[in-house]
Amino acid sequence: MIRPAPPADAAACAGILNDWVDATDGMTRVHSHADVRHHSAERVLPRQTVWVTDAPVDGFLAAQDGGMVTALCLAPRARGLGRERALLDQAKTGRNSLSLWTFQANDGARRFCAANGVREVARTEADNEERLPDVHLAWAA
């Protein structure tokens, strides 16, 4: 169900993220669809560890070597089926800690994180390129 993402999955991951931005009320689009696709193909998949849900790709998690999760995103059809947890569990494997950021308004993500042992450690008032209040979250083994 969860597998490492080869470069060929970059477009699917970018599509999931672009769809989320477009569908989320209050979310500021700061990068075009094409820029997100390019970033995914040229920077995320080649430089980070990325896992995807398989057949077809309907969710992904990207993490930097230091344990910073840079994306955890699922298509609407994939939510609530345990895929979020499977991706997060995969990211936890072999690590002592993870951290990530989400927007304060993303109640679903914050509830999911809390239910999976990922705790809030700090808040900012729009200290990001979207200029939206966010939350720094962390998990420790």
Side-chain angles (χ1 to χ4, degrees), residues 60-85:
F60 73 99
L61 183 144
Q64 297 172 339
D65 286 342
M68 171 62 74
V69 174
T70 61
L72 174 53
C73 197
L74 282 90
R77 69 183 180 279
R79 295 179 193 147
L81 302 174
R83 293 176 182 158
E84 304 97 329
R85 185 175 191 155

Side-chain angles (χ1 to χ4, degrees), residues 1-4 49-52 61 63 83-95 98:
M1 182 165 151
I2 304 297
R3 63 172 171 77
T49 302
V50 181
W51 293 279
V52 295
L61 183 144
R83 293 176 182 158
E84 304 97 329
R85 185 175 191 155
L87 286 164
L88 183 61
D89 287 348
Q90 180 64 50
K92 289 176 177 178
T93 301
R95 295 185 187 268
L98 290 174

Side-chain angles (χ1 to χ4, degrees), residues 4-134:
D9 287 335
C13 294
I16 292 165
L17 181 57
N18 274 324
D19 290 348
W20 179 81
V21 170
D22 291 342
T24 302
D25 290 336
M27 185 65 206
T28 303
R29 177 166 284 284
V30 294
H31 301 286
S32 70
H33 284 240
D35 286 346
V36 172
R37 285 190 301 272
H38 181 263
H39 182 75
S40 181
E42 299 298 323
R43 298 183 76 71
V44 177
L45 269 73
R47 298 180 186 178
Q48 297 184 32
T49 302
V50 181
W51 293 279
V52 295
T53 58
D54 202 9
V57 173
D58 56 10
F60 73 99
L61 183 144
Q64 297 172 339
D65 286 342
M68 171 62 74
V69 174
T70 61
L72 174 53
C73 197
L74 282 90
R77 69 183 180 279
R79 295 179 193 147
L81 302 174
R83 293 176 182 158
E84 304 97 329
R85 185 175 191 155
L87 286 164
L88 183 61
D89 287 348
Q90 180 64 50
K92 289 176 177 178
T93 301
R95 295 185 187 268
N96 292 322
S97 64
L98 290 174
S99 64
L100 61 102
W101 290 87
T102 193
F103 298 107
Q104 289 182 27
N106 193 342
D107 293 329
R110 291 178 32 234
R111 281 192 306 274
F112 167 77
C113 287
N116 287 281
V118 184
R119 304 289 178 233
E120 182 176 326
V121 294
R123 288 180 175 231
T124 74
E125 294 302 320
D127 188 20
N128 52 58
E129 65 184 347
E130 293 87 357
R131 303 206 188 288
L132 297 171
D134 56 8

